Amino acid sequence: MANKNKKKNRLIFRIIVLIVLAAATVFALYSTLTKGDQEVIREGDQAPNFQLKTVNMEQDTLSLGELEGKGVMLNFWGTWCPPCKKEMPYMQELYPEYKEKGVEIVAVSLDDSRLVIEDFLNDYGLTFPILHDKTYQVNDAYGVGYLPATFFINEDGEVVNKVVGGLTLDKLEGHLQEIVPES
């Protein structure tokens, strides 16, 4: 009788383990298949507002809403990304001219460490606003997958262009000209 109960208990334990494994497999498949359904910001969409901590500004945070009425180049980058490093000097070169024309260049770093970003800024002498998206909340809101990714937003807050990959100086300037405010 005791032997029969042991077999019954072992069978129940095995069934429970199989149910848990099946549930984990279903969850993993569901998570993988629905990951591609994330909302992605496209050309013509309204740029989602956000607020992030600043790295090189006197104010602690900056939101997209604070730049209302300006053209905004929103660049997602990381210090580990070679194409990102390559386009930073182009952004710095054009920043003073386009700032006067009403366009703000804002770069959102996805690095883990603020210290790494500060070292990078010192090496490259960047003066445009650098924000830190340590938790990837803005990165996810914009559906950024590959770096660098750049959104060109007009004065009405509409995404005019989205560019994935590094930009040359000429291409960058061409996109900036498209978002210069009319007034």
Side-chain angles (χ1 to χ4, degrees):
M1 186 69 135
N3 197 17
K4 196 173 185 179
N5 279 340
K6 272 187 175 179
K7 282 185 176 181
K8 186 178 178 183
N9 288 341
R10 206 176 311 152
L11 178 64
I12 291 171
F13 178 75
R14 288 178 180 162
I15 289 172
I16 290 172
V17 168
L18 283 174
I19 289 171
V20 169
L21 287 174
T25 303
V26 169
F27 177 76
L29 286 172
Y30 175 78
S31 296
T32 301
L33 294 174
T34 59
K35 191 174 184 178
D37 293 342
Q38 279 184 332
E39 195 164 318
V40 174
I41 303 302
R42 294 186 168 82
E43 295 172 8
D45 289 347
Q46 198 68 24
N49 193 21
F50 62 84
Q51 184 174 21
L52 288 173
K53 291 195 175 265
T54 63
V55 176
N56 62 342
M57 299 175 64
E58 289 183 17
Q59 64 191 71
D60 288 341
T61 61
L62 180 69
S63 71
L64 184 62
E66 292 176 60
L67 304 174
E68 189 177 323
K70 294 183 175 183
V72 177
M73 176 189 155
L74 184 62
N75 175 264
F76 290 86
W77 68 287
T79 57
W80 70 88
C81 164
C84 302
K85 291 179 182 177
K86 190 175 179 181
E87 69 181 7
M88 285 289 173
Y90 304 146
M91 292 162 57
Q92 181 58 46
E93 183 177 332
L94 297 172
Y95 179 60
E97 176 186 344
Y98 281 89
K99 184 172 177 63
E100 278 196 23
K101 294 179 178 178
V103 174
E104 193 64 56
I105 293 176
V106 177
V108 177
S109 172
L110 301 173
D111 284 277
D112 290 334
S113 166
R114 184 182 172 98
L115 183 61
V116 171
I117 302 167
E118 290 171 349
D119 287 346
F120 185 88
L121 295 181
N122 290 334
D123 291 346
Y124 282 75
L126 304 177
T127 59
F128 50 85
I130 305 291
L131 309 180
H132 191 196
D133 189 11
K134 187 176 179 178
T135 62
Y136 285 63
Q137 77 181 59
V138 178
N139 179 73
D140 292 345
Y142 278 77
V144 174
Y146 299 100
L147 297 180
T150 307
F151 295 83
F152 294 91
I153 303 165
N154 69 17
E155 62 191 283
D156 298 323
E158 179 184 313
V159 176
V160 175
N161 280 305
K162 175 184 174 185
V163 178
V164 177
L167 289 162
T168 63
L169 182 62
D170 290 340
K171 286 183 180 177
L172 179 58
E173 185 160 22
H175 288 300
L176 289 173
Q177 288 172 358
E178 293 175 354
I179 58 170
V180 172
E182 291 180 15
S183 54

